[in-house]
Amino acid sequence: MWLSTSSALRSPPAQWKSFFDSGNNHIDILVYAAVFLHEQILGFNDLLISKAKAGCQIRIALGDAHSANVRARGLEEKFGHGIETRCELALIHYRPVIGTKNIEVRTHGTTLYNSIYRADDEMFVNAHIFGVNAFSAPLWHYRKAATGTLIASYQESFDTVWETAKVVGDE
């Protein structure tokens, strides 16, 4: 079930904060960068740390700035090296949470067909459009249904990328 067709950038920060606040068991983030989370949600890292301390398992998969797929996305979006720089900036934003129990950050070099944000049984899926920056593409809000498979399909996609991603350490 879709509830929103707004873009990720145009969704109110309070909606994003509320979404992540609702995650008590699992929070997953699969993006290339999504720096807007730190730029628009005051204390985003504190929110994640608080959730992790309460036992929430948090997995964050960011784009590898040096991967061919990230470079290709920048060219396709006519964004040049901007997306690579945003991937590096995202990693800088998440550095303070690395090493926190229940939070793991990895980098991936996969083709990113959708950005996926999960908070327990809800997902925001940012549907990517060729040649369009992710923040201008539609954002869908899904809730897990008793008989549906949509969220399970997106979760399987996340898990597949997660298994190929490289762990980011405390270096």
Side-chain angles (χ1 to χ4, degrees):
M1 154 179 180
W2 61 270
L3 301 174
S4 173
T5 58
S6 65
S7 74
L9 185 62
R10 291 186 207 115
S11 295
Q15 182 180 10
W16 283 97
K17 184 176 184 316
S18 176
F19 173 77
F20 288 112
D21 271 337
S22 73
N24 295 309
N25 299 307
H26 301 281
I27 292 175
D28 291 334
I29 300 172
L30 170 62
V31 295
Y32 274 162
V35 294
F36 73 92
L37 294 172
H38 285 91
E39 292 171 347
Q40 294 184 5
I41 302 172
L42 187 62
F44 186 61
N45 281 345
D46 294 335
L47 183 153
L48 295 177
I49 291 168
S50 173
K51 289 290 180 180
K53 285 182 179 179
C56 185
Q57 299 296 311
I58 301 171
R59 301 184 298 172
I60 302 160
L62 304 172
D64 178 346
H66 305 291
S67 76
N69 286 317
V70 168
R71 285 192 302 275
R73 176 62 58 83
L75 294 172
E76 292 162 359
E77 295 177 355
K78 298 175 182 58
F79 205 52
H81 296 289
I83 188 67
E84 296 162 59
T85 302
R86 291 176 73 77
C87 289
E88 291 171 349
L89 179 59
L91 192 54
I92 290 169
H93 281 307
Y94 285 106
R95 284 256 175 238
V97 304
I98 294 171
T100 301
K101 182 180 177 184
N102 296 328
I103 298 178
E104 189 171 354
V105 179
R106 296 184 182 185
T107 58
H108 69 94
T110 64
T111 301
L112 193 59
Y113 298 102
N114 298 284
S115 294
I116 299 172
Y117 308 85
R118 172 187 177 206
D120 291 340
D121 291 336
E122 291 188 55
M123 279 188 179
F124 283 156
V125 177
N126 187 199
H128 295 211
I129 300 171
F130 184 85
V132 175
N133 295 86
F135 57 78
S136 297
L139 179 70
W140 306 103
H141 184 177
Y142 298 108
R143 288 189 176 95
K144 188 174 185 178
T147 59
T149 60
L150 187 62
I151 285 199
S153 296
Y154 281 114
Q155 190 61 49
E156 184 179 331
S157 177
F158 178 96
D159 291 339
T160 300
V161 172
W162 185 255
E163 291 306 314
T164 68
K166 292 181 259 176
V167 175
V168 176
D170 292 316
E171 62 271 340

